[in-house]
Amino acid sequence: MNRKYRKTVIAGNWKMNKTPSETKEFMTQLKAILPKGRWCDIALCVPAVCIPAAVRAMRETRVGIGAENCNPNPSGAYTGEISTAMLTDAGCKYVIIGHSERRAMGETDADVNAKVTAALDAGLIPIMCCGESLEQREADITEEWITTQIKLGLAGVSEERIRKVIIAYEPIWAIGTGRTATPEQAEDVCKLIRTVVRKLYNSKSARAISILYGGSMNDKNAYELLAQPDIDGGLIGGASLVPEKFVKIIEAANQPAV
């Protein structure tokens, strides 16, 4: 982390877990143990049906609520989809875009780019995901793959707006598998992402952008991962479903920054 230049962000991704009533119960428990200090931004990205309950429960707190996906179109015949205007009207601040599970369903870099643009237009903070598979890592094309995802995902995003984007590195081989990239492996790719942003924009933009690690960060490994200079937070899966574990990750952000 480097809090001198950029924000530390701890974001939860609930995926398809919890009902609205369970969301209310979770938020009540979380509020009771949430640290008082403000050393990082906190986000919880929840299923669409849980957004209203989450927003109501956390209205008087510093926790921002987000969605797990959006449609880039403002409206239309897109059954089952949710627009950015719907999300902002519901009280969302963040939206996850390009998660590997969405990409596995057929989402392309062009789709990701369209969603990033739509999110920024709506005033949402996009958490744009990128990451390589185990096969790609073993083929030694991680750098090429990640670079392409970043370039295509940010195509057309201006220098002014890049600072409103959060990038999350999520090695696909470490999501929900129990495997975690070593702090050194995670740092190497997050540093690469910052280098790509620097080449696309400038040094000031690269210093300012928050880059999260999203590969099975939990309450046990968060401190070591967050100690890396280019890892500015975490996109947390399973551990974000348990208030006590999520709070421990938030507390791990309260450490001396590089």
Side-chain angles (χ1 to χ4, degrees), residues 6 11 36 41 47 52 57 62 64 74 86 95 112 123 163 200 213 223 226-227 241 243:
R6 49 192 175 263
K36 302 301 180 185
D41 286 1
R62 59 194 176 91
M86 294 173 183
V95 59
V112 170
R163 301 183 191 189
L200 289 174
Y213 174 70
Y223 190 97
L226 292 171
L241 297 168

Side-chain angles (χ1 to χ4, degrees), residues 31-251:
K31 284 193 290 186
I33 60 175
L34 199 63
K36 302 301 180 185
R38 188 183 179 90
W39 52 78
C40 69
D41 286 1
I42 304 170
L44 279 169
C45 298
V46 303
V49 295
C50 299
I51 290 171
V55 169
R56 283 194 300 270
M58 305 310 279
R59 185 166 285 127
E60 304 301 323
T61 74
R62 59 194 176 91
V63 178
I65 303 303
E68 299 175 11
N69 186 37
C70 68
N71 188 287
N73 296 286
S75 62
Y78 305 102
T79 301
E81 294 292 296
I82 298 175
S83 73
T84 55
M86 294 173 183
L87 296 180
T88 54
D89 193 70
C92 281
K93 181 178 179 181
Y94 301 88
V95 59
I96 297 172
I97 295 172
H99 191 279
S100 62
E101 291 161 2
R102 300 295 309 181
R103 291 179 187 265
M105 297 177 194
E107 194 164 285
T108 66
D109 288 318
D111 294 328
V112 170
N113 179 243
K115 292 181 180 185
V116 167
T117 300
L120 290 169
D121 287 345
L124 291 165
I125 299 173
I127 302 175
M128 188 185 83
C129 300
C130 62
E132 83 283 15
S133 66
L134 182 59
E135 292 75 18
Q136 289 160 343
R137 173 164 281 271
E138 290 178 341
D140 199 27
I141 60 170
T142 295
E143 180 174 343
E144 177 184 348
W145 186 262
I146 297 296
T147 298
T148 298
Q149 286 187 320
I150 299 299
K151 286 182 175 180
L152 295 179
L154 295 178
V157 175
S158 68
E159 179 184 333
E160 178 185 0
R161 302 219 294 182
I162 186 58
R163 301 183 191 189
K164 300 175 183 177
V165 176
I166 295 171
I167 297 176
Y169 167 54
E170 41 155 26
I172 299 169
W173 49 272
I175 300 174
T177 63
R179 295 181 62 175
T180 309
T182 66
E184 293 76 20
Q185 287 174 320
E187 166 64 16
D188 284 347
V189 179
C190 289
K191 184 177 181 180
L192 164 67
I193 292 169
R194 203 174 304 283
T195 298
V196 175
V197 172
R198 183 179 299 112
K199 290 178 179 178
L200 289 174
Y201 298 93
N202 50 52
S203 295
K204 191 173 182 180
S205 296
R207 282 197 303 268
I209 195 167
S210 296
I211 301 173
L212 315 185
Y213 174 70
S216 295
M217 183 184 284
N218 56 49
D219 53 310
K220 295 180 175 62
N221 60 29
Y223 190 97
E224 193 174 7
L225 286 163
L226 292 171
Q228 303 303 310
D230 290 289
I231 298 178
D232 305 308
L235 181 58
I236 317 301
S240 71
L241 297 168
V242 182
E244 294 79 9
K245 291 184 178 181
F246 192 55
V247 163
K248 285 184 179 179
I249 297 171
I250 294 169
E251 290 173 339

